[in-house]
Amino acid sequence: MRWEAFLAHVQERGEYTTPQEAERAARTVLALLGAHLVGEVRAELAARLPETFALVLLNPLLATEPLPPERFLRATAAWIEGATERTAAWDVSAVLSVAADAAGEELTRRILLQLPPGYDLLFGRPERA
């Protein structure tokens, strides 16, 4: 996916007024997500993102263990000035749903297997019971 298209989709889904707001959310969320993914899955997702966002995802930040979704939202809120957990949930969902579109269903399924339960909702891909 091209940079402009990715950012336009994030801006639309997040209802951001400027591309800069969408970019800030994308950089923060993808940096945190990248810290939670490993191996081939991380590299494959990076290959499907615009280069700038791929580099953010591949940044050598590594979490000692994947955060549950609630803590991921808190971490996102802590990284975005003026954010609350509620606005962070909006940011995370906007970015991760666009990333899931770029990844495709099969890769998104493998990404979700690396993360604790509950991320399916953040990616806009609720698991069916």
Side-chain angles (χ1 to χ4, degrees), residues 110-128:
R110 293 186 318 164
I111 290 167
L112 290 171
L113 288 173
Q114 284 194 7
L115 299 169
Y119 275 84
D120 56 323
L121 296 174
L122 297 178
F123 276 85
R125 304 293 197 275
E127 285 192 10
R128 290 163 181 78

Side-chain angles (χ1 to χ4, degrees), residues 68-107:
E70 307 79 35
R71 289 188 52 210
F72 189 89
L73 294 176
R74 275 187 242 133
T76 302
W79 279 36
I80 298 175
E81 185 178 333
T84 64
E85 284 185 45
R86 177 176 239 151
T87 62
W90 190 266
D91 293 332
V92 168
S93 290
V95 174
L96 293 184
S97 67
V98 174
D101 290 348
E105 292 302 321
E106 192 275 330
L107 179 55

Side-chain angles (χ1 to χ4, degrees), residues 32-89:
L32 286 168
L33 177 65
H36 291 78
L37 298 178
V38 295
E40 191 176 300
V41 168
R42 186 176 181 200
E44 283 184 47
L45 178 57
R48 296 182 190 188
L49 296 175
E51 183 179 2
T52 301
F53 292 133
L55 294 173
V56 169
L57 183 84
L58 295 172
N59 189 13
L61 269 176
L62 288 177
T64 54
E65 62 182 277
L67 296 174
E70 307 79 35
R71 289 188 52 210
F72 189 89
L73 294 176
R74 275 187 242 133
T76 302
W79 279 36
I80 298 175
E81 185 178 333
T84 64
E85 284 185 45
R86 177 176 239 151
T87 62

